Amino acid sequence: EAGVAQSPRYKIIEKRQSVAFWCNPISGHATLYWYQQILGQGPKLLIQFQNNGVVDDSQLPKDRFSAERLKGVDSTLKIQPAKLEDSAVYLCASSTSGTGGHGYTFGSGTRLTVV
Amino acid sequence: AQTVTQSQPEMSVQEAETVTLSCTYDTSESDYYLFWYKQPPSRQMILVIRQEAYKQQNATENRFSVNFQKAAKSFSLKISDSQLGDAAMYFCAYRSVWAGFQGAQKLVFGQGTRLTINP
């Protein structure tokens, strides 16, 4: 099966600019996650979708970050305006819903550098 | 809230030898899942092994095995016969079983251990 697709792979922007990341999950996966991974740290959940509804965005800096999942499939994460501390890898993952103990399938991430 | 701690930022091992990566976690839940993920330079998280907390038997996947000590809240990963391709960042992760009103479960990650394999 195809994996989780993310684009772009790299992005360099100046502070105060805006940027958007795209994710296409595995077909049929109802749950989609966006994680932020700052260099030298483990990934941290930003937002979680169940189909096209948000179920957890408690760690999302809502003054500058936004995300949507149209029709319960693709998702877009946006940052506006970007700050230097937003430099990180943004990982998208998807999983089937339910309480199974299966792990996620991750994409290869987008490395964002804010200068 | 659950937390995961990996106290070894870096580890190195000679090729063909055995190495153990440590992980501890904190939770008040009695049932949960634990995972080890590998992250090579390609950045994609790859599932190495998982353990269900209600199972006493330690999980094993080929050269990878875990030592799960539930009472001590410890979950270490042992890599036997280390290979050059094992070099990567390794992350320990926790996931609740109970979904709660917020839906499906998120993964809580440790800080990671960078594993180097010396030829």
Side-chain angles (χ1 to χ4, degrees), chain A residues 42-112:
Chain A
K44 181 187 77 172
L45 181 71
L46 289 176
I47 189 167
Q48 173 186 323
F49 292 93
Q50 185 80 9
N51 296 308
N52 61 350
V54 175
V55 294
D56 186 353
D57 63 356
S58 57
Q59 299 297 306
L60 188 74
K62 298 180 186 64
D63 57 334
R64 298 183 301 105
F65 286 66
S66 65
E68 61 181 4
R69 189 181 184 194
L70 299 176
K71 301 180 181 179
V73 182
D74 292 8
S75 178
T76 303
L77 176 69
K78 296 179 181 178
I79 308 175
Q80 182 180 11
K83 293 185 175 181
L84 295 177
E85 58 261 35
D86 297 333
S87 293
V89 173
Y90 291 84
L91 293 166
C92 179
S94 69
S95 71
T96 55
S97 60
T99 58
H102 303 288
Y104 302 170
T105 301
F106 284 85
S108 295
T110 296
R111 181 181 296 280
L112 173 68

Side-chain angles (χ1 to χ4, degrees), chain A residues 6 36 45:
Chain A
Q6 287 190 249
Q36 180 192 56
L45 181 71

Side-chain angles (χ1 to χ4, degrees), chain B residues 11-17 19 63 79 81-88 90 114-119:
Chain B
M11 293 281 287
S12 63
V13 64
Q14 291 294 126
E15 191 177 4
E17 294 191 346
V19 64
R63 298 183 294 107
I79 306 175
D81 185 25
S82 298
Q83 300 176 1
L84 295 177
D86 295 334
Y90 285 81
R114 182 175 301 280
L115 178 64
T116 302
I117 311 295
N118 301 313

Side-chain angles (χ1 to χ4, degrees), chain B residues 11-85:
Chain B
M11 293 281 287
S12 63
V13 64
Q14 291 294 126
E15 191 177 4
E17 294 191 346
T18 296
V19 64
T20 299
L21 308 184
S22 301
C23 172
T24 59
Y25 58 95
D26 188 28
T27 183
S28 58
E29 298 175 333
S30 59
D31 203 8
Y32 44 87
Y33 300 102
L34 295 167
F35 304 87
W36 278 99
Y37 279 90
K38 171 184 177 181
Q39 187 180 42
S42 67
R43 301 199 300 258
Q44 186 174 20
M45 287 282 191
I46 301 167
L47 178 64
V48 175
I49 197 166
R50 69 183 177 97
Q51 174 80 41
E52 298 166 19
Y54 69 89
K55 290 185 177 180
Q56 294 185 341
Q57 186 173 6
N58 290 324
T60 299
E61 289 287 343
N62 301 314
R63 298 183 294 107
F64 299 88
S65 61
V66 298
N67 183 3
F68 173 48
Q69 302 289 329
K70 190 173 184 179
K73 297 180 181 176
S74 171
F75 183 61
S76 61
L77 174 70
K78 186 173 80 170
I79 306 175
S80 303
D81 185 25
S82 298
Q83 300 176 1
L84 295 177

